[in-house]
Amino acid sequence: VLKLFKLLHRTRQEVFKNDTRALEAARQKINEEFKSNQDETSEEKINELLKMASDVEVILRTSVIQAVHTDSDKI
């Protein structure tokens, strides 16, 4: 669980690099989701949550695009 938590935060830092608002929002959401489920004892539910977190990490890494404003009329 801790390994996946750290992986999500590393992915967040790479995907939202230089976007402080998105970095903070993603940090809060990751921490909130893990904290809200920290007392879960059902192995089935834990495995389901871990699968979902893993899927989210893959989506962040492969599907999120950060545009960079390079000039007054270019992104």
Side-chain angles (χ1 to χ4, degrees):
V1 174
L2 184 58
K3 185 177 178 179
L4 187 55
F5 179 78
K6 288 179 178 182
L7 179 61
L8 277 167
H9 277 289
R10 280 193 297 274
T11 301
R12 165 191 70 92
Q13 289 174 329
E14 291 173 19
V15 170
F16 299 118
K17 187 176 183 180
N18 299 324
D19 186 346
T20 55
R21 192 177 333 175
L23 279 167
E24 181 61 21
R27 183 188 70 77
Q28 287 179 354
K29 186 64 175 173
I30 292 166
N31 291 346
E32 175 186 304
E33 290 298 322
F34 273 81
K35 188 170 185 146
S36 70
N37 292 297
Q38 74 181 8
D39 296 326
E40 186 60 56
T41 57
S42 166
E43 188 175 337
E44 184 178 314
K45 179 71 173 172
I46 291 170
N47 287 334
E48 181 181 313
L49 290 166
L50 289 173
K51 172 73 171 117
M52 184 180 357
S54 180
D55 290 348
V56 167
E57 192 276 331
V58 169
I59 289 169
L60 279 174
R61 192 170 14 90
T62 60
S63 300
V64 174
I65 299 172
Q66 285 288 101
V68 176
H69 193 171
T70 58
D71 201 358
S72 62
D73 61 345
K74 294 181 182 176
I75 295 183

